[in-house]
Amino acid sequence: MNIELRLPPSPPKRRRHRRAAQWLAHRLRDTAHYDTPLWRGALLGPWLIGFAAFTAVLLGVPTGFGRPFDLMLAAAAAATLLAAAGYPAAALLSLLGLRLPRLFTACVLASAGAVLVILLSSDIALPAACAAAAAAGAAAAIGGWACGLIRIGRRLPGLALLAALAGALLLIPGGPAFQAGFPAESGADDRDDAGGIAAAGTVAPLTAPNPGLPGAYAYRSFTYGSGSDRHRPEFGAQAELISEPADASSYTSGWTRLRTWFWGFGPDALPLNGRVWMPEGEGPFPLVLIVHGNHSMEDFSDTGYAYLGELLASRGFIAVSLDENFLNYSAWSDIPDNDYKLRAWIILKHLEQLAEYSDTPGNPFFGKIDYSRTALIGHSRGGQAAAMAADAGRWFSADPVLLSSERYRISAIAALAPTDQTVDGEKAELQDISYLTLQGAHDGDVHNFDGDRQYIRTFYLQGSSAFKSSLYIGGANHSQFNTSWGLYDLSPPAGLFLNRSDIMEGEEQRRIAKVYVSAFLETSLHGNRAYAGLFQDYRSGLAWLPAGTSYFNRYEDGTLALIAGFDEDRDSGTASLGASAAYAGLRLSEETVKNREGGSKDTYGVRLEVTDPDFKSEGYYRLSLQSGPVMDQVLSGAEGLSFSMSNLQGTSDSGAPEIDVELTDTAGAASRVSLSSVMTPLPLPQTRFTRTAWLEKQVAGGKFANSTEAVFQTYRIPVALFRQKNAAFDPAHLKSVTFYLGQKGDAVMLDDIGFYGSQGSTPFSVL
């Protein structure tokens, strides 16, 4: 029997394709089958998350067409996201046969995916971006569910769910309620009588009037500009004076068509726009130019220093805030090449334009500018540009603008949180120019104390009346020196990860700027020595400054004769002026001073640290002086010992290092002073930029990983105090200077050890 097995005939291929198409069509038609009215109402949740995400993006990279336009654009982008990503994803879920509200689920996933992509594009590391995206997705789902319940009439459970979600959002790390539960980190806890954090010791408060308050001059404000500005009428039709355009085409490239379209000009016709505050009166008055730094091009920065312009004009200075917004960054058109150099060049062009105004009869500037007294104030990149403009020959020696600017004597530079980048292989060096720099310990943008490096590159010849000073401020950030820059140092959305609970109020930060900048210009331009003590010891002006934070100041002038600067060689046994060094009972190393990222500050110091676990007696570091005519002259004019020191012991829990300073004369008579009786070394602020230590390494490429850097405080101990301790001690015949460290764990870095004289005297003419 023969059995033949045959397979059933297969359907024609066309029929199989038809059935597959029918199945596919059925599944696609069934996409929203489970999206009942509740879940369709719940689509508001993922839309709101998308709207919030795109709003955060446009807060950081505005279009320049105004906030209402940006909000409408964010709303449209969120709706487009749900349509473009939500529906295809829902269809995919339908093809998989998943029995859930597919459209709602797909939109939740799309909103979370948008958050993930946005954060990864904003320099947020993958782990943090994933965590934030997951939280956003959960918020979209729960918030949407609540909205859906309200839509179908179940208002009470819907509102309860919304309230629970709002509470959870407030309590997440970085949320308002979470931040409110943590006290601000001050870095020190020794409060002075005025309520501020101050190093203990005795210092007489200054008797001069508060320099942060308005002066006696009435003033008026006006603008000068191109006359054709597209965005600001005060530089367009409302400008009181018309300025000449500046051709910078030889200095830059990369000027995009979109940038030209936005501004209406290219690099060959940059406008000279300025906001002026001018005192009433005959004059002439000192001239002060204020220049902003890099910020979103579409969010104009020059208006943010009116608080300084108004104050300075009331105190007899012509203040001008310069517009350099067209050199700033834009997410839409990038940033022009060589912008650091361009910023300095534009300052010179303004000086040239103002000189022309001053020479023109009938002009508001006619005869009003005192060319012998000029100061530049800069913030961020503007702070670096100000120093570059004062040292303009280093970059612009062949440019005719240099001849025009040389008419001015730039005698003072104030830099607020400045950058310090190398430009054409060079950095600015200042000689016999007064220099002031302010830096916040909570600066999340220029997070290294870069102004410290320019401070180091500022020099004085003997007898110079100029001086340099720095102030490091616990709790101050970057943006609040400008009233237009907002609260966060990083643009949203990355800036939303920053912790603000430890940052001082903007008005307080600007109060510090007003006090110091005004006093600095009163001293350097008006020659008012009544404020000089503020820069030598911040405690003399604590009554003018905000309470509840810590301050660290450094100071040097032309009377200082160094006996140890540590930059001459790497030999720990040698010092300046022929002095020799010795130590015992501690570990010593001459090493580079480092910033927060571990980079060099272009100077060296000597690190002293007591590391012996069996430490029983004090360790010391001694500088023995070389006798001779030079040292005799130094000592004959010396009013006191000066040195800068950085406390490396960490937090306030470590306690202050126990340090004594001893001077010994050639006859063996010694006088010893406890440093804490003059000024207790405060611990440096330990800054946490984000709420958790984990996030420190997730935001901004991990640049916040280190909580502090070497910041110096200058200590000045009068010779009279040593004489008071021992009447037999003869400071004119000094033999040695000794620093004693008194307890295990003491760790400090010393720099710029020397003797200071009276400002205006010339005690060291042979040096």
Side-chain angles (χ1 to χ4, degrees), residues 197-390:
I197 295 174
T202 58
V203 61
L206 297 178
T207 58
N210 184 345
L213 297 179
Y217 284 89
Y219 62 89
R220 73 185 188 96
S221 60
F222 59 93
T223 58
Y224 63 86
S226 65
S228 58
D229 192 279
R230 287 185 172 183
H231 304 282
R232 297 157 297 175
E234 58 268 37
F235 297 140
Q238 297 177 8
E240 184 166 329
L241 301 174
I242 301 301
S243 58
E244 293 294 325
D247 184 358
S249 54
S250 61
Y251 286 114
T252 188
S253 59
W255 191 283
T256 64
R257 292 182 179 179
L258 189 58
R259 184 174 290 265
T260 298
W261 173 82
F262 182 84
W263 289 108
F265 54 79
D268 59 336
L270 302 184
L272 300 178
N273 300 328
R275 300 179 185 272
V276 183
W277 296 269
M278 180 179 289
E280 299 285 359
E282 292 297 321
F285 301 104
L287 176 66
V288 181
L289 302 188
I290 309 171
V291 59
H292 61 80
N294 190 36
H295 187 64
S296 174
M297 176 185 80
E298 296 85 1
D299 186 17
F300 310 128
S301 300
D302 54 288
T303 61
Y305 308 104
Y307 73 97
L308 285 178
E310 293 167 356
L311 173 66
L312 296 178
S314 76
R315 302 185 74 88
F317 303 94
I318 299 174
V320 186
S321 179
L322 309 187
D323 168 33
E324 294 191 353
N325 289 283
F326 44 84
L327 300 180
N328 278 356
Y329 171 79
S330 170
W332 314 102
S333 58
D334 205 5
I335 192 169
D337 294 338
N338 217 8
D339 74 289
Y340 283 96
K341 192 171 181 179
L342 267 177
R343 293 172 196 274
W345 185 77
I346 288 293
I347 294 175
L348 302 179
K349 294 299 291 184
H350 275 273
L351 292 175
E352 183 180 58
Q353 178 67 76
L354 291 169
E356 182 180 329
Y357 288 156
S358 182
D359 292 339
T360 304
N363 191 287
F365 285 98
F366 180 65
K368 293 295 183 68
I369 297 177
D370 184 346
Y371 293 98
S372 66
R373 295 181 293 169
T374 302
L376 306 177
I377 302 173
H379 180 197
S380 196
R381 295 194 188 194
Q384 178 175 342
M388 291 175 64

Side-chain angles (χ1 to χ4, degrees), residues 96-112:
L96 295 175
L98 299 179
R99 297 186 177 185
L100 44 74
R102 297 158 186 157
L103 184 58
F104 171 73
T105 303
C107 288
V108 167
L109 294 175
S111 62

Side-chain angles (χ1 to χ4, degrees), residues 372-692:
S372 66
R373 295 181 293 169
T374 302
L376 306 177
I377 302 173
H379 180 197
S380 196
R381 295 194 188 194
Q384 178 175 342
M388 291 175 64
D391 190 22
R394 194 176 297 274
W395 291 276
F396 307 108
S397 59
D399 195 310
V401 73
L402 190 61
L403 295 176
S404 300
S405 64
E406 286 178 348
R407 183 175 179 178
Y408 298 84
R409 182 177 181 272
I410 300 175
S411 52
I413 303 293
L416 311 177
T419 58
D420 188 58
Q421 300 296 314
T422 301
V423 178
D424 295 346
E426 299 278 359
K427 289 187 176 182
E429 295 185 4
L430 305 178
Q431 180 172 304
D432 294 333
I433 294 175
S434 290
Y435 182 74
L436 170 70
T437 183
L438 308 183
Q439 177 75 27
H442 228 296
D443 192 320
D445 185 358
V446 183
H447 63 297
N448 293 316
F449 189 3
D450 285 350
D452 215 8
R453 297 198 292 197
Q454 184 61 67
Y455 175 99
I456 293 163
R457 297 195 308 275
T458 301
F459 310 96
Y460 301 106
L461 298 177
Q462 58 84 20
S464 173
S465 61
F467 65 94
K468 60 182 178 178
S469 182
S470 68
L471 185 71
Y472 192 73
I473 310 161
N477 74 347
H478 191 79
S479 296
Q480 291 182 153
F481 285 121
N482 184 306
T483 60
S484 301
W485 282 10
L487 302 177
Y488 291 95
D489 291 347
L490 297 179
S491 296
L496 301 179
F497 284 78
L498 296 184
N499 165 38
R500 281 203 48 80
S501 65
D502 297 337
I503 298 177
M504 66 173 57
E505 294 296 325
E507 285 299 321
E508 291 193 341
Q509 184 167 330
R510 290 185 286 275
R511 177 178 157 196
I512 297 170
K514 288 196 289 186
V515 166
Y516 265 85
V517 169
S518 175
F520 176 67
L521 297 179
E522 288 281 1
T523 307
S524 57
L525 298 189
H526 279 162
N528 186 354
R529 301 297 304 172
Y531 294 109
L534 177 66
F535 307 102
Q536 298 165 5
D537 191 329
Y538 70 89
R539 296 175 299 169
S540 65
L542 270 179
W544 305 329
L545 301 174
T549 191
S550 52
Y551 301 95
F552 303 81
N553 80 270
R554 203 172 184 183
Y555 177 83
E556 184 180 320
D557 59 37
T559 71
L560 183 68
L562 287 178
I563 59 172
F566 308 107
D567 292 322
E568 73 284 350
D569 57 40
R570 304 279 62 78
D571 186 349
S572 60
T574 62
S576 304
L577 295 180
S580 59
Y583 65 96
L586 48 79
R587 185 171 66 184
L588 178 146
S589 61
E590 286 192 15
E591 57 187 57
T592 182
V593 182
K594 296 180 179 180
N595 60 25
R596 195 185 296 271
E597 290 185 299
S600 171
K601 290 193 177 185
D602 302 331
T603 189
Y604 287 83
V606 60
R607 181 186 180 104
L608 310 177
E609 186 172 7
V610 178
T611 59
D612 186 356
D614 299 323
F615 180 80
K616 296 179 180 178
S617 62
E618 56 193 3
Y620 70 84
Y621 173 68
R622 177 172 295 131
L623 293 168
S624 299
L625 310 183
Q626 184 181 55
S627 61
V630 173
M631 186 57 65
D632 290 344
Q633 185 178 10
V634 167
L635 297 177
S636 66
E639 289 197 350
L641 175 72
S642 174
F643 60 93
S644 292
M645 186 180 80
S646 179
N647 181 3
L648 305 180
Q649 287 189 198
T651 67
S652 57
D653 295 335
S654 305
E658 293 183 4
I659 297 176
D660 288 354
V661 182
E662 183 180 74
L663 302 185
T664 306
D665 64 21
T666 54
S671 180
R672 184 162 169 169
V673 171
S674 170
L675 187 59
S676 62
S677 68
V678 178
M679 177 185 286
T680 300
L682 297 180
L684 291 174
Q686 303 293 314
T687 304
R688 176 171 286 172
F689 289 95
T690 61
R691 177 45 60 189
T692 67

Side-chain angles (χ1 to χ4, degrees), residues 142-143 145-150 154-164:
I142 297 171
W145 183 19
C147 293
L149 289 172
I150 294 172
R154 300 181 63 185
R155 292 183 177 83
L156 187 59
L159 292 174
L161 196 57
L162 282 178

Side-chain angles (χ1 to χ4, degrees), residues 1-137:
M1 181 179 196
N2 295 328
I3 299 176
E4 183 178 356
L5 296 176
R6 292 185 179 182
L7 294 175
S10 59
K13 185 180 295 185
R14 183 178 300 175
R15 185 181 303 171
R16 292 200 307 271
H17 289 171
R18 186 181 302 116
R19 289 178 179 175
Q22 290 173 346
W23 177 85
L24 181 61
H26 173 74
R27 283 298 177 92
L28 292 178
R29 284 195 303 270
D30 200 38
T31 295
H33 176 74
Y34 296 101
D35 287 285
T36 62
L38 183 153
W39 297 114
R40 291 181 182 180
L43 291 175
L44 182 61
W47 179 85
L48 286 173
I49 292 297
F51 174 68
F54 288 114
T55 297
V57 170
L58 290 171
L59 285 174
V61 290
T63 63
F65 296 109
R67 186 61 52 80
F69 177 86
D70 289 351
L71 290 176
M72 288 189 293
L73 184 59
T80 302
L81 168 71
L82 299 189
Y87 278 94
L92 179 60
L93 294 177
S94 180
L95 293 177
L96 295 175
L98 299 179
R99 297 186 177 185
L100 44 74
R102 297 158 186 157
L103 184 58
F104 171 73
T105 303
C107 288
V108 167
L109 294 175
S111 62
V115 170
L116 178 63
V117 171
I118 288 170
L119 293 180
L120 290 175
S121 303
S122 302
D123 208 13
I124 303 298
L126 181 61
C130 289

